[in-house]
Amino acid sequence: MKASAQTTANIRLLDTSHNRSDEGREFETPTWHDQGVDDKLGDDGTEMRAEVERIEAQLRHHPGRRAHSQVVDLERAWNTHRNASTNIIALVQAGETDEAMAVELIHWQDDKRTAFLGASDAALHAYVGALSSLIDITRRIVRKQPQDLQTEFGRRLQAVVNVEGASFLRDLRNYLMHVGHAPWVVHAEVTGGHASARLLLRSGDLLLWNNWTAASKAYLHGQEAIYLSVVLPAYWAELHPLYVWLLDDVQRVHVVEIDAANELVRQRNLVLTGGQFEDQASFMAMVQKSVRDYREAQGSGPGIDTAT
């Protein structure tokens, strides 16, 4: 069966929800949008819909789809944490790397102080929330992986666990949930005509809260102040390579299932488009070419809404 141009316009091809590895594998989560399709396909509509539903029934519980979902969940949690890390590190290092900012922090007015500390609080809350979510999602997904991957993850994780202050960063979420904000202190220095300002947390203030874990208490008792401008980059330096490896390895061990699911998606797209298009990229290339041709012929054309 060949789909007409009018029919194709009513078929919803998914805006690719997928993950790409270095080898270019991808998986598109299937959807079905049947509004107006049967009316335009006539006698062939029932047959086409039955075939699509048959393929989607296979995809619904396909191990490749489950594996892809795990990768997407992990990747989104990691990206959220990565963005939160970038933001808070930039803030806590601002007075150390930017002398103009350091001068502002030393001589700031009440409104500027309130704005900066408010931004720091928001960034820190976002960071610890994203870290907690990443830890929980990772634990759930790793438990579903083959034993050799779980073992290797545990071995690599030790480098993160051993970072000085790692337990404190994990516990900081509970502290902020109960206390509400961090006890920020600006430590300013002017040396040789150059100003610097370090944003720190006094350990004594933090220890007024009694529910730190034993490891975090020991860490806080061991130093007068916590310099997040040092702790956060050190933690990131170990966490980043761990998740680069993990995301790649989860895809590697499930490559056969994901490829099989991708083949079902390809078949589905071919059925929906009468054998014309295997994926959204080729479909959109046709749409864009049609619009360009129309505009060349008419001088202008309608806009395209590519949302799905």
Side-chain angles (χ1 to χ4, degrees):
M1 183 198 81
K2 295 294 183 182
S4 67
Q6 188 176 22
T7 299
T8 303
N10 284 274
I11 294 175
R12 178 182 179 184
L13 293 180
L14 184 70
D15 185 12
T16 52
S17 172
H18 64 267
N19 183 75
R20 297 179 185 271
S21 71
D22 292 338
E23 291 77 22
R25 297 187 295 272
E26 67 177 47
F27 174 72
E28 301 175 53
T29 307
T31 61
W32 168 253
H33 179 60
D34 63 352
Q35 182 178 1
V37 172
D38 288 349
D39 293 340
K40 295 182 183 300
L41 290 178
D43 294 338
D44 293 331
T46 301
E47 180 182 349
M48 187 194 80
R49 178 167 182 166
E51 178 64 9
V52 170
E53 290 180 344
R54 182 190 67 81
I55 295 172
E56 290 192 343
Q58 295 181 61
L59 277 167
R60 196 166 295 120
H61 303 291
H62 196 283
R65 182 176 185 179
R66 290 196 298 270
H68 168 259
S69 178
Q70 292 170 12
V71 172
V72 169
D73 288 350
L74 188 61
E75 188 173 45
R76 291 182 68 176
W78 168 245
N79 287 339
T80 299
H81 176 73
R82 181 183 60 190
N83 293 337
S85 296
T86 300
N87 291 339
I88 187 62
I89 289 173
L91 275 170
V92 298
Q93 290 183 341
E96 301 176 29
T97 58
D98 184 341
E99 188 169 6
M101 175 60 75
V103 172
E104 286 286 337
L105 293 177
I106 293 170
H107 299 292
W108 59 9
Q109 299 171 351
D110 286 344
D111 57 340
K112 291 183 178 180
R113 176 188 295 266
T114 300
F116 184 82
L117 294 184
S120 300
D121 279 337
L124 189 58
H125 273 277
Y127 174 84
V128 297
L131 177 60
S132 179
S133 178
L134 178 65
I135 291 171
D136 288 346
I137 290 171
T138 300
R139 185 181 296 116
R140 168 174 60 82
I141 291 173
V142 168
R143 284 174 177 169
K144 297 178 180 179
Q145 305 311 310
Q147 187 58 50
D148 59 344
L149 188 151
Q150 294 187 44
T151 301
E152 180 61 14
F153 175 78
R155 187 188 71 80
R156 290 174 181 253
L157 181 62
Q158 285 306 305
V160 179
V161 174
N162 292 337
V163 172
E164 187 176 15
S167 63
F168 165 73
L169 292 178
R170 292 193 299 272
D171 290 347
L172 191 55
R173 176 175 179 269
N174 287 336
Y175 173 87
L176 292 175
M177 285 178 62
H178 290 88
V179 177
H181 60 273
W184 298 110
V185 175
V186 176
H187 178 72
E189 293 182 356
V190 179
T191 307
H194 296 285
S196 66
R198 305 188 74 181
L199 200 60
L200 58 88
L201 303 172
R202 285 206 180 100
S203 296
D205 294 335
L206 293 166
L207 285 166
L208 293 175
W209 188 61
N210 295 319
N211 292 324
W212 296 102
T213 61
S216 295
K217 283 183 181 178
Y219 172 71
L220 291 171
H221 280 297
Q223 47 207 312
E224 182 178 347
I226 310 300
Y227 291 91
L228 290 180
S229 61
V230 175
V231 178
L232 292 173
Y235 191 74
W236 168 260
E238 297 297 342
L239 199 66
H240 179 256
L242 173 65
Y243 277 87
V244 169
W245 167 80
L246 181 60
L247 281 164
D248 184 71
D249 224 46
V250 171
Q251 293 178 85
R252 178 188 62 80
V253 299
H254 296 294
V255 61
V256 173
E257 303 101 295
I258 292 175
D259 283 349
N262 275 330
E263 174 58 24
L264 288 174
V265 171
R266 187 186 72 83
Q267 293 175 22
R268 166 191 169 274
N269 289 342
L270 287 171
V271 172
L272 283 171
T273 61
Q276 295 185 52
F277 306 106
E278 295 184 0
D279 52 34
Q280 170 121 351
S282 58
F283 174 73
M284 289 308 302
M286 180 276 295
V287 172
Q288 290 167 358
K289 182 179 184 301
S290 297
V291 171
R292 286 195 301 269
D293 292 346
Y294 178 88
R295 286 177 174 171
E296 289 176 2
Q298 305 294 326
S300 64
I304 303 176
D305 182 2
T306 59
T308 60

